[in-house]
Amino acid sequence: MKLLIVVDMQNDFIDGSLGTPEAVAIVPYVKEVIENFDGEVIYTRDTHSENYMETQEGKKLPVLHCVKGTPGWEISKELPVKDDAVILDKVTFGSSELGDFLKKLDSAEKIEEVELIGLCTDICVISNAMIVKAYLPEAEITVDAKACAGVSVETHKNALNAMKVCQMTVINE
């Protein structure tokens, strides 16, 4: 089984409160990757509540974003999301729900390959890639650098290098 994990391709990270020109630029390619992927596609969605600013993350990153039910929380309408798509809401960078979902899926049908794309390379993509590696240590994990964007170009590159060190394959650098 082959999986594509689309990490946090949400409006607030693309052109909203935490958007960047790099995030906007990858959307057409991310759409192409999703449309051409031969396997199951799973989406993660950063999910916060109105009390975000009172959380530890909110105190360290005091920008209200991805509040459940708001337009910024939604996955970009430019991306193909089927009605029956698996969308996992997560309240932290890496999703333990994703790990549990993958473990259950792997017990039913062996997961051999996992590809990750999305935002932000240096926070949520790397965090979820590490979770995939922990839950599926024998799966081949690939990150498509062209379909990811970080908080900055430098931290994007640093995250890609860190994932390589952790035995993940980075393509399209």
Side-chain angles (χ1 to χ4, degrees):
M1 174 181 253
K2 224 174 131 176
L3 299 177
L4 175 66
I5 300 174
V6 182
V7 178
D8 298 359
M9 286 298 297
Q10 295 163 265
N11 296 321
D12 272 348
F13 291 128
I14 297 169
D15 57 7
S17 60
L18 291 172
T20 64
E22 293 83 9
V24 171
I26 69 167
V27 172
Y29 181 68
V30 167
K31 178 182 179 187
E32 182 182 321
V33 170
I34 294 168
E35 290 175 340
N36 294 315
F37 189 76
D38 183 26
E40 186 168 343
V41 180
I42 299 167
Y43 297 82
T44 68
R45 186 167 48 191
D46 196 38
T47 302
H48 299 294
S49 62
E50 290 292 339
N51 76 338
Y52 170 77
M53 300 301 261
E54 299 166 21
T55 68
Q56 181 182 17
E57 180 183 330
K59 290 174 184 170
K60 294 183 180 203
L61 177 64
V63 178
L64 191 62
H65 66 282
C66 298
V67 174
K68 187 172 187 166
T70 66
W73 173 72
E74 296 294 334
I75 295 170
S76 171
K77 293 202 182 310
E78 294 182 45
L79 302 179
V81 181
K82 296 177 183 171
D83 289 339
D84 63 345
V86 174
I87 300 175
L88 299 172
D89 293 341
K90 58 186 189 58
V91 297
T92 186
F93 304 137
S95 172
S96 58
E97 291 84 4
L98 174 63
D100 293 339
F101 177 82
L102 294 176
K103 196 69 168 173
K104 184 177 178 182
L105 195 58
D106 187 55
S107 67
E109 184 177 350
K110 188 74 175 157
I111 300 171
E112 295 178 4
E113 296 176 39
V114 179
E115 182 173 339
L116 291 99
I117 61 176
L119 301 169
C120 294
T121 319
D122 41 357
I123 302 173
C124 293
V125 174
I126 191 171
S127 296
N128 285 289
M130 295 299 184
I131 285 174
V132 172
K133 188 68 174 169
Y135 278 79
L136 303 173
E138 294 304 315
E140 177 64 32
I141 301 169
T142 302
V143 177
D144 188 337
K146 188 176 167 184
C148 294
V151 172
S152 72
V153 173
E154 180 182 347
T155 57
H156 167 77
K157 289 178 183 176
N158 289 343
L160 294 172
N161 287 331
M163 288 184 276
K164 287 183 208 174
V165 171
C166 292
Q167 303 175 353
M168 297 172 206
T169 303
V170 176
I171 60 172
N172 296 321
E173 276 190 270

